[in-house]
Amino acid sequence: MNGNSITIIIGGGIAAYKSLELIRLFKKAGARVRAVLTRAGAEFVTPLSVSALTGEPVFEDLFNLDDEAKMGHIQLSRAADLIIVAPATADLMAKMANGLANDLATTLLLATDTPVLIAPAMNVRMWEHIATKRNLATLRADGIMTVGPDEGDMACGEFGFGRMAEPDAIFEAAKAALGVPGPLDGKYIVVTSGPTHEPIDPVRYIANRSSGRQGAAIAEALARRGAQVSYITGPVSIPAPKGVDVIKVETAAQMFDAVNNSLPADVTIFAAAVADWRVDGAGASKIKKQKGELPTFTFAENPDILASISALPKKQRPKLVIGFAAETDHVLENARAKKKRKNCDWLLANDVSGDVMGGTNNQITLISDSGEESWPMMSKNDVANRLAEKIMKALTTP
Ligand code: C5P
């Protein structure tokens, strides 16, 4: 990022402390960083710590002669290649969406012709409020880029969407916004995610509890690093990851076709919880309830997508085929056996006896031909970032 200049506006939220780490990442990458601290932001981080990290004076007040003498606010608004608002509070987003300009941060945002990236952070109810949704839609329509928020525990004790994206995710989003080539530029990766729905009749189906969160996080983490990603997902209720090509399917058979139609790829990651069986001969008419008579179903086996891609001849086979093993008992033993049976390169074993399925955290043991490594319990986003880093290394080392 040598030569890139970033202006970071730090709003007033508990996530402001993460912006210090973000500044550190930019500085380490060689970018110049100027920081603007809102009055509320200064309640959470001090100008001294911000200034120590940027190595520049901190700008705080529109009407401060010293600040204005250091660099006029109009000049400040134009001096950067990218303006980042992190944390972007509900209040800042509302002001931006409505073009208010009553302090240094908002005046600068209104006066600028520089691309703007916001990292929203707020309580889940505030994030879900119709007013915030309206403001977000306005900001997006105005060309403002967003990263996050993430789902998880909040400082206020509640749970849900509203946590500011992690500094490395904002950093990667900023690089993408600046057109800095990502480490996975030119790589094409296919990710399956979510459950599959296997019809019993036109109105009923068999499904599982997969939320699709882990697969979505992986797809987004890869896209942020510059990969071209096809994200093939079964029916889920979470938002689609950003920057990926979304292919929606329902059944295992459709997922199998979608994966095969997406090849050749450099890497394939099978995070979907694919149903092992489908109802044989599921018909076009709804099965009627008959008094005293229970329906019986026969099952047919679904194609094993992971095993079939692993078995492709070397020329067609992706360089890395990665599977997941969601297990409730004897997790490692079962996962090791699964890796052998499916012949994939890496297998990520996770214990789903707790609330992993549908939850936001995950604990992974990565099994590869060169050994096993156990990762601590972490968020699904962190799992995704760690996996993306490993993939980068594997693709760049001969
Ligand atoms: O369901 P199972 O535990 O066998 O899944 C292990 C791995 O195989 C997962 O990565 C899953 O996405 C993949 N799989 C698949 N096609 C199937 C069943 C599983 O790709 N029909």
Side-chain angles (χ1 to χ4, degrees):
M1 292 188 107
N2 276 333
N4 278 126
S5 175
I6 310 279
T7 294
I8 177 164
I9 295 174
I10 305 177
I14 185 67
Y17 76 93
K18 291 198 215 169
S19 300
L20 299 180
E21 172 64 11
L22 180 62
I23 293 172
R24 216 184 53 78
L25 290 175
F26 282 123
K27 292 295 289 182
K28 213 171 110 192
R32 175 169 193 185
V33 185
R34 291 190 186 87
V36 173
L37 199 52
T38 66
R39 184 175 296 178
E43 299 288 336
F44 293 89
V45 290
T46 69
L48 189 62
S49 45
V50 175
S51 166
L53 287 167
T54 59
E56 310 250 358
V58 176
F59 300 86
E60 289 184 86
D61 190 355
L62 184 60
F63 303 112
N64 181 310
L65 273 183
D66 275 351
D67 272 9
E68 206 49 25
K70 277 180 263 171
M71 191 175 206
H73 65 273
I74 299 292
Q75 212 186 334
L76 185 60
S77 80
R78 312 273 162 85
D81 301 305
L82 179 69
I83 297 179
I84 299 176
V85 187
T89 58
D91 177 67
L92 264 173
M93 285 175 61
K95 284 179 175 150
M96 288 173 75
N98 288 286
L100 297 189
N102 60 354
D103 62 5
L104 179 60
T106 49
T107 304
L108 194 149
L109 285 160
L110 197 62
T112 194
D113 53 3
T114 301
V116 178
L117 170 71
I118 64 169
M122 65 198 71
N123 166 272
V124 55
R125 297 275 163 269
M126 292 166 86
W127 176 248
E128 284 170 359
H129 196 285
I130 187 73
T132 306
K133 285 193 175 150
R134 203 165 47 227
N135 292 334
L136 180 68
T138 304
L139 291 171
R140 286 201 171 132
D142 289 349
I144 305 289
M145 295 167 282
T146 62
V147 51
D150 291 346
E151 192 181 28
D153 291 318
M154 327 211 85
C156 52
E158 288 187 52
F159 176 89
F161 278 97
R163 285 170 60 91
M164 187 168 88
E166 292 303 322
D168 56 353
I170 303 175
F171 180 66
E172 294 298 338
K175 283 208 301 199
L178 288 164
V180 177
L184 289 173
D185 258 23
K187 301 291 179 214
Y188 174 55
I189 303 183
V190 176
V191 180
T192 71
S193 187
T196 62
H197 285 183
E198 306 299 329
I200 294 172
D201 66 18
V203 293
R204 305 181 180 96
Y205 57 82
I206 300 172
N208 60 63
R209 292 186 196 282
S210 168
S211 64
R213 282 192 177 89
Q214 187 61 83
I218 292 169
E220 194 162 311
L222 295 166
R224 269 202 314 266
R225 287 167 175 80
Q228 187 197 337
V229 179
S230 285
Y231 164 76
I232 302 172
T233 177
V236 291
S237 56
I238 56 166
K242 295 191 193 93
V244 306
D245 181 19
V246 181
I247 301 162
K248 292 186 183 170
V249 298
E250 286 210 0
T251 65
Q254 288 167 359
M255 190 172 272
F256 179 75
D257 288 343
V259 168
N260 280 291
N261 290 337
S262 303
L263 295 182
D266 295 296
V267 182
T268 46
I269 303 171
F270 297 98
V274 185
D276 292 317
W277 315 285
R278 65 179 178 277
V279 175
D280 202 11
S285 311
K286 185 182 165 195
I287 300 167
K288 301 300 290 176
K289 188 168 151 185
Q290 309 272 10
K291 219 174 171 198
E293 223 180 273
L294 292 174
T296 52
F297 300 108
T298 49
F299 289 95
E301 201 169 333
N302 273 331
D304 191 315
I305 311 169
L306 172 63
S308 77
I309 302 302
S310 294
L312 285 174
K314 200 163 182 239
K315 265 196 168 160
Q316 291 155 301
R317 190 183 189 276
K319 286 181 207 85
L320 259 180
V321 180
I322 304 173
F324 273 78
E327 301 287 346
T328 52
D329 306 285
H330 309 291
V331 179
L332 280 180
E333 277 162 72
N334 284 331
R336 285 176 197 131
K338 193 165 283 180
K339 177 172 179 317
K340 269 208 188 113
R341 204 166 55 241
K342 307 219 181 197
N343 209 14
C344 55
D345 303 305
W346 297 355
L347 191 88
L348 277 69
N350 57 341
D351 185 342
V352 290
S353 55
D355 60 358
V356 164
M357 216 127 174
T360 53
N361 288 331
N362 207 351
Q363 198 271 310
I364 296 287
T365 301
L366 190 148
I367 307 173
S368 70
D369 292 335
S370 52
E372 290 180 12
E373 52 180 77
S374 193
W375 301 353
M377 176 69 86
M378 56 177 85
S379 73
K380 288 182 177 174
N381 279 332
D382 286 341
V383 168
N385 285 325
R386 193 148 171 177
L387 180 63
E389 296 295 323
K390 280 203 85 75
I391 291 172
M392 270 158 46
K393 274 208 192 100
L395 291 183
T396 47
T397 42

